[in-house]
């Protein structure tokens, strides 16, 4: 099965660390300016998800949502959520840890796009 969003090993470690502190978490990437262009991590249920959000997949046990307009731009790519040193979004849970989540991507192959079309 082709996944639309995946986590690097560093991302998985940070998710586990944040869940140990905060309980279950969720992600949202809105594509807005500043903080919104980065994946934001919140306690599960803290951010209200609406009709304009798409569940892209799961990062370990954390749901990852993306704004529908951003999904239109990114649907041909696999999002790879990574972690780098630095300050994250001011409302994102990883901020105090001195790390931030970062979205990388790669274009799906034609075979993967065909498989994704069958999954939907």
């Amino acid at each position: 099965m082709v996944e639309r969003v995946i986590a690097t090993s560093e991302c998985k470690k940070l998710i586990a660390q944040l869940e140990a502190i905060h309980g279950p978490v969720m992600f949202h990437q809105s594509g807005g300016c500043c903080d919104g262009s980065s994946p934001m991590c919140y306690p599960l249920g803290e951010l209200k998800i609406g009709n304009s959000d798409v569940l892209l997949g799961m990062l370990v046990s954390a749901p990852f949502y993306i704004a529908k307009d951003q999904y239109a731009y990114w649907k041909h790519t696999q999002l790879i959520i990574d972690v780098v040193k630095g300050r994250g979004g001011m409302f994102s849970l990883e901020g105090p840890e001195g790390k931030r989540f970062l979205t990388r991507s790669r274009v799906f192959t034609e075979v993967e796009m065909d498989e994704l079309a069958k999954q939907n």
Side-chain angles (χ1 to χ4, degrees), residues 5-15 18 27 29 38-41 59 64 78-85 88 92 94 99-105:
V5 62
I6 61 172
T8 65
S9 60
E10 286 302 310
C11 179
K12 291 175 185 178
K13 288 178 194 174
L14 185 53
I15 290 171
L18 294 173
F27 286 84
Q29 185 163 324
S38 297
M40 302 288 284
C41 183
L59 296 181
F64 189 99
Q78 182 178 60
L79 299 188
I80 304 158
I81 309 305
D82 200 358
V83 173
V84 295
K85 290 181 181 180
S92 194
E94 79 279 8
K99 299 176 183 175
R100 66 184 184 95
F101 291 106
L102 176 76
T103 301
R104 302 180 191 281
S105 66

Side-chain angles (χ1 to χ4, degrees), residues 14 19 21 24 28 40-41 44 47 62 69-70 82-83 94-95 103 108 119:
L14 185 53
E19 287 180 333
I21 298 167
H28 188 272
M40 302 288 284
C41 183
L44 185 63
L47 181 69
D69 62 338
Q70 287 300 302
D82 200 358
V83 173
E94 79 279 8
T103 301
F108 286 122
Q119 290 174 354

